[in-house]
Amino acid sequence: MSGNRAIAYKGSGTVEVIDTEYPTFELKDGPGVNPANVGRKVPHGVILKTVTTNICGSDQHMVRGRTTAPLDLVLGHEITGEVVEKGPDVEFITVGDIVSVPFNISCGRCRNCKVGKTGICLNVNPDRPGSAYGYVDMGGWVGGQAEYVLVPYADWNLLRFPDRDQALEKVMDLTMLSDIFPTGFHGAVTARVTVGSTVYVAGAGPVGLATAASAQLLGAAVVVVGDLNEQRLGQARSFGCETINVANGAPEDQLEQLLGVPEVDAAIDAVGFEARGHGGGAKAQEAPATVLNSLMEITAAGGAIGIPGLYVTGDPGAVDEAAKAGSLSMSFGTGWAKSLSFTTGQCPVMKYNRQLMMAILHDKVQIAKAVNATAIPLEDAPRGYAEFDAGAATKYVLNPNGYLTA
C-alpha cells in the first residue's frame, strides 16, 4: 500500500481532504509531531483500515483557530477500524479484527496506566502527560480522519468486538465508544450520578447528549440539559430529558420551575472553554468561566461536578489575556464553601469502554440515536465541520472506506 487520504486543518474555519502517506510502523516528522517522537519505532502497533471516524467538538475548537494547532495537522481521534497489518510485537490482536480505538494513547506500562489513568500516560507524549491522535500538543500521533491510521500498543489499546457481523450492524452506536460515550459516562460517574439523582448537564452538543444518556443509564431520576441552541435542546428532549434555554436566564431560576428547588444533586460541564454568558439571548458574549461558576451555584452542598468539557492552556482567540493562557475568573470560594468535588481532564476511556460496549450489544442504550449520528463520506467532511460549527444537532460520522454501505 502507498496511498491514503485524510482530513487536514488548513487554517481558521477550514479543513480539506488531502492525499497523504500510508502509515508505517515508525513515527515520521510532520505537523505537530514532537521532535522527540520522530523516528520512534512502533513494532507494537497495527495499521487500521478505518471503518468510522467521527467529527468531535474538540476538533472543532482547533478548526475555529482557538488552539495553537499547526496548519496541515491531520485531524481525528474518534476511530473504529479493521486491522489490516500488525507489527511483529503484536501478540493477541489479529488481522481482520474490528476494533474500537480509545482516543487516549497509552502505553500500558507506566505507573499511571497501571492504575487505570490512561488519559495521563507518561510515555507517549514528551511534552506532558496524556496523548491523543490528531490533536494539538498531544505528541504528534497522526489523526484518524483518514482511510488508514497507525495505532500503537495495540494489544493494550484496542477494544476488539466479539463478533464482526454484529459489530458492523451496530457500528453507528459502537463508533461512539472511542470518545463521547465514555467521556459522557465519565462526566456522569465523576459527578456521582446514581439511582434517583437529579442531574444538570451544561451543553447539548454530542458530549452533552452522551452525558445525559449516560446519566439515564446510571438511574438518574431526572436529567436537565441546558444550552442556547433550541435545535440541540430538542434533540435532548427526544430521549426523555428536560431542557432549559440559558439564553432566557439563569439556570437556577429555571431549575426551580422544573424541580421545585434551584439545585441538583449532580452537575456536568460538557461545554468547556468557549462558554457564553447566560441570560444574554442567543448571541450572548463569550465568558469562559460562566458554566463552571454556574454549576457551583446550582450543585447541592456536598455534591460533585464532572468536567469533561475541554479547557486549554493556549487559546489565541480568548476574550482576555488571562483566558489566553487558560486562567479563568472562577468563584472557587463558592465551591470550597459548599464542599463540592471536581473532576477534570481526559476521560480514561479504557475504564468504561468494554462495559459500554456490552450495554450497546445487548440493547440497553441507543447512543447513536441520542446524539443523532449521521454518516457522511470523507469528501463531505468540510461540510460536516461547517454545519456542526453552525450548531447542527448532529454527530457526524465519517465513512472513509464504504463500510457503512457494504
Side-chain angles (χ1 to χ4, degrees):
M1 302 292 295
S2 59
N4 193 12
R5 293 186 307 151
I7 305 303
Y9 170 59
K10 289 291 187 178
S12 182
T14 304
V15 299
E16 291 181 6
V17 182
I18 64 166
D19 293 317
T20 188
E21 293 184 355
Y22 183 83
T24 67
F25 295 104
E26 178 180 329
L27 292 187
K28 300 178 181 179
D29 198 7
V33 178
N34 189 295
N37 266 349
V38 175
R40 186 171 180 167
K41 302 293 192 293
V42 192
H44 42 71
V46 299
I47 294 170
L48 299 183
K49 185 176 184 181
T50 305
V51 174
T52 55
T53 177
N54 315 327
I55 296 174
C56 181
S58 298
D59 299 319
Q60 199 73 63
H61 291 305
M62 290 188 290
V63 173
R64 289 188 188 120
R66 295 299 299 268
T67 72
T68 55
L71 297 181
D72 299 317
L73 181 73
V74 172
L75 302 169
H77 56 271
E78 300 189 11
I79 309 162
T80 303
E82 178 176 4
V83 178
V84 292
E85 292 186 50
K86 67 177 191 174
D89 291 351
V90 177
E91 187 174 0
F92 304 113
I93 294 292
T94 62
V95 171
D97 286 342
I98 305 293
V99 295
S100 178
V101 184
F103 79 89
N104 326 104
I105 303 172
S106 57
C107 71
R109 298 165 170 143
C110 71
R111 61 182 293 183
N112 285 347
C113 285
K114 287 180 177 180
V115 294
K117 298 178 181 178
T118 54
I120 44 174
C121 173
L122 300 173
N123 287 332
V124 288
N125 182 356
D127 279 339
R128 63 177 72 175
S131 190
Y133 303 88
Y135 212 83
V136 59
D137 296 332
M138 288 293 182
W141 299 85
V142 177
Q145 287 176 12
E147 293 174 324
Y148 298 92
V149 63
L150 170 70
V151 174
Y153 303 103
D155 283 326
W156 165 255
N157 278 306
L158 294 178
L159 175 67
R160 176 170 44 195
F161 299 133
D163 181 89
R164 178 189 177 90
D165 291 340
Q166 184 187 34
L168 292 176
E169 179 184 347
K170 291 181 174 287
V171 71
M172 289 294 281
D173 291 287
L174 294 171
T175 190
M176 305 306 164
L177 292 173
S178 57
D179 183 355
I180 68 164
F181 194 11
T183 292
F185 196 81
H186 180 63
V189 167
T190 55
R192 300 203 292 261
V193 175
T194 188
V195 174
S197 296
T198 57
V199 181
Y200 178 70
V201 179
V207 170
L209 296 171
T211 302
S214 297
Q216 292 175 337
L217 192 61
L218 288 165
V222 60
V223 180
V224 182
V225 179
D227 203 293
L228 297 156
N229 182 319
E230 275 297 335
Q231 185 182 5
R232 290 180 171 181
L233 291 173
Q235 183 62 29
R237 289 190 292 271
S238 75
F239 60 97
C241 298
E242 299 288 345
T243 62
I244 61 175
N245 190 324
V246 296
N248 298 331
E252 53 265 38
D253 297 335
Q254 298 184 65
L255 282 172
E256 186 164 24
Q257 294 175 21
L258 286 170
L259 305 177
V261 291
E263 64 182 20
V264 291
D265 301 319
I268 302 99
D269 174 3
V271 177
F273 72 102
E274 289 191 66
R276 288 189 279 167
H278 296 158
K283 297 186 181 298
Q285 296 299 305
E286 187 170 310
T290 297
V291 171
L292 294 171
N293 287 329
S294 172
L295 296 192
M296 285 190 279
E297 289 289 343
I298 67 174
T299 303
I305 299 173
I307 309 175
L310 176 67
Y311 288 87
V312 297
T313 56
D315 175 9
V319 293
D320 56 47
E321 290 302 314
K324 288 180 180 180
S327 181
L328 308 182
S329 298
M330 286 177 58
S331 179
F332 194 73
T334 301
W336 191 94
K338 295 176 73 175
S339 296
L340 300 177
S341 300
F342 304 84
T343 302
T344 66
Q346 288 188 35
C347 163
V349 171
M350 293 172 66
K351 185 174 182 179
Y352 308 106
N353 62 353
R354 186 184 180 279
Q355 300 97 302
L356 296 177
M357 174 189 76
M358 296 302 289
I360 290 169
L361 295 179
H362 291 276
D363 300 317
K364 299 302 181 186
V365 65
Q366 294 180 302
I367 192 65
K369 184 177 180 181
V371 301
N372 193 25
T374 302
I376 59 175
L378 191 72
E379 292 79 8
D380 283 356
R383 173 178 66 84
Y385 270 97
E387 291 180 359
F388 186 44
D389 190 46
T394 304
K395 176 68 173 177
Y396 287 103
V397 176
L398 302 180
N399 180 27
N401 289 301
Y403 283 86
L404 297 181
T405 57

